[in-house]
Amino acid sequence: MKGVPGTAASLTLAIAFVMSLLLTSACAVEPKNRPADRMVNLGFEDVVNSDPLYLTGLAERLDSVDATAVSLAVGRTDWTAFPLQGQTETESSEVARTGRDYVAESISALEFAEDGRKRDVVLTIDALLDRALTAEPALAGRDTSGAASSTFASVSSLRHGKAGSRLASLAAVIAGRYRPTAVNLTELMFDDFTFGEEDLIDFKATTGAKDWPRKNDGSIDASDASISGWRSEAMADIVLKVRTAVEPYGVKLDMDVRAPRESPSLDRADSGHDYDLLLKQADRLHVWEYVGLNSESSPQTKELAEAMNRRAGSRISLSVGLWGNDGRISAGELATALRDAVLGGATSVSVTPASLMEGQHWDVLKEAWAR
């Protein structure tokens, strides 16, 4: 090469040309994957917060991570985050003391990003009860020994009675008053408290059975498939009732559901969460992927995302919970869950709750979601 005229210049031009191609190619590469729908969930403690700068700080955080949606806890039918005219007995102590509409304040602060883009607003109702069960003990569910729950309403009171009517009524109120993108139901599940006398009547009417299924020793077999099927049918009826309440306002209905215990392709019919039945009534299901509380046999996040994506695509979202046995999961654990959700094809992911987010968690979320 030495002594050949123009070789150095030609080599320089060739290198420059190759570098130009590489740079052009790099610019054309698609940005790294992220879910299309990215939501941060605010718990009641986030919405009803006395710090006047709290919502301002959260708005800045949502901007920094490029969240497309925000979920706001509005309370329970007997403990609301906003005033209800003529129903002061349902207001939380903070609302009763201040008269403030914390839901409206949160929407005002968080609905729009700094650049003017509108976020989806999801208003979440907690289906558990407290004061209502103290005032009306007959609404409470009972376990196989007959003991009453302090938080769960019975199947019959939700399906046919006051607990379900009040749930639908509250959903209609917040749908009409705030016009959110969706109303979401959380903690609406059947655990151990579905064995009262009224529930037995409903079980018989639904299944045609003459009694609860029983073990050889005569005790109720709570794991029998007929109970799971009955719970799931009842749950679908309850969700339909709420959907009917919000539909006139053009508002969608979402629902939180438990994740499968072992196989990612299954559901939690034992809790009333038959995904396929619920998807006939709800617009979207948010599957609890609480990685810090999962057992060793729980499906891995990637496997769960793949299975949910196959089942219903974007109509099933993964809700990554920050709770852990030591209080909260680490930022590293959150990063792994977010990465695995994307690798599994999840197009909708939420992180919950905002109150457990520390600076390092927000940094991880920004890395995963912001562009």
Side-chain angles (χ1 to χ4, degrees):
M1 299 289 288
K2 185 176 180 180
V4 179
T7 300
S10 299
L11 185 59
T12 300
L13 287 173
I15 292 173
F17 178 69
V18 171
M19 291 299 294
S20 175
L21 287 177
L22 289 173
L23 286 172
T24 301
S25 176
C27 292
V29 171
E30 291 294 320
K32 60 183 178 179
N33 292 335
R34 61 174 178 168
D37 298 327
R38 306 175 297 278
M39 184 164 71
V40 175
N41 300 337
L42 275 63
F44 194 86
E45 70 281 3
D46 294 300
V47 174
V48 182
N49 193 294
S50 59
D51 182 352
L53 299 178
Y54 188 70
L55 289 178
T56 301
L58 273 180
E60 293 173 354
R61 292 289 198 183
L62 294 180
D63 285 339
S64 72
V65 302
D66 199 13
T68 62
V70 61
S71 171
L72 308 173
V74 303
R76 303 174 175 178
T77 57
D78 60 358
W79 192 260
T80 63
F82 59 93
L84 269 172
Q85 187 174 4
Q87 300 182 52
T88 55
E89 73 281 358
T90 69
E91 297 172 357
S92 66
S93 57
E94 294 86 349
V95 171
R97 179 175 58 82
T98 65
R100 292 169 58 182
D101 186 335
Y102 291 95
V103 176
E105 292 175 17
S106 297
I107 293 173
S108 177
L110 305 174
E111 184 175 17
F112 289 93
E114 187 178 18
D115 61 8
R117 285 182 296 172
K118 186 180 183 301
R119 295 189 180 96
D120 287 339
V121 173
V122 177
L123 299 183
T124 296
I125 301 173
D126 184 335
L128 297 179
L129 299 173
D130 184 11
R131 293 188 296 188
L133 298 186
T134 300
E136 300 177 80
L139 298 179
R142 294 183 177 274
D143 65 15
T144 55
S145 71
S149 172
S150 60
T151 54
F152 284 97
S154 68
V155 175
S156 57
S157 66
L158 282 164
R159 193 178 192 180
H160 307 295
K162 289 182 180 179
S165 296
R166 289 169 182 170
L167 184 62
S169 177
L170 182 62
V173 166
I174 63 175
R177 180 183 294 192
Y178 305 110
R179 301 302 172 100
T181 308
V183 168
N184 182 52
L185 303 175
T186 192
E187 302 289 355
L188 182 56
M189 56 192 177
F190 298 132
D191 211 12
D192 300 322
F193 298 95
T194 63
F195 298 101
E197 291 183 6
E198 295 298 321
D199 284 351
L200 176 57
I201 293 171
D202 192 69
F203 175 77
K204 290 178 178 179
T206 301
T207 65
K210 296 181 179 180
D211 190 14
W212 298 117
R214 296 189 180 272
K215 301 177 183 178
N216 292 335
D217 62 3
S219 62
I220 296 174
D221 185 0
S223 64
D224 190 88
S226 64
I227 291 181
S228 296
W230 161 64
R231 288 173 174 175
S232 294
E233 285 190 47
M235 184 67 76
D237 284 350
I238 296 160
V239 174
L240 173 59
K241 184 185 302 185
V242 180
R243 176 179 178 173
T244 302
V246 303
E247 271 186 332
Y249 304 99
V251 173
K252 296 178 180 180
L253 181 65
D254 293 1
M255 181 176 176
D256 286 3
V257 293
R258 283 174 158 172
R261 278 200 175 101
E262 295 179 356
S263 171
S265 62
L266 296 181
D267 52 30
R268 288 299 300 276
D270 60 302
S271 297
H273 293 168
D274 180 318
Y275 299 165
D276 294 333
L277 275 181
L278 292 174
L279 284 167
K280 293 179 181 179
Q281 311 302 342
D283 293 284
R284 174 175 278 177
L285 302 181
H286 299 274
V287 178
W288 287 345
E289 175 57 339
Y290 294 174
V291 294
L293 302 177
N294 285 346
S295 67
E296 291 184 2
S297 62
S298 298
Q300 297 299 302
T301 302
K302 180 174 179 291
E303 296 172 345
L304 182 61
E306 289 171 341
M308 296 302 105
N309 202 32
R310 286 193 299 268
R311 185 188 289 262
S314 63
R315 292 188 63 203
I316 296 187
S317 178
L318 287 191
S319 178
V320 179
L322 297 177
W323 296 279
N325 293 324
D326 297 323
R328 81 189 83 205
I329 62 174
S330 69
E333 289 172 305
L334 174 60
T336 298
L338 294 172
R339 181 199 65 208
D340 289 350
V342 169
L343 289 175
T347 60
S348 176
V349 175
S350 64
V351 175
T352 185
S355 60
L356 287 182
M357 297 277 283
E358 295 182 322
Q360 56 189 341
H361 295 89
W362 286 108
D363 290 342
V364 161
L365 202 54
K366 181 177 180 180
E367 175 66 22
W369 287 358
R371 299 289 181 268

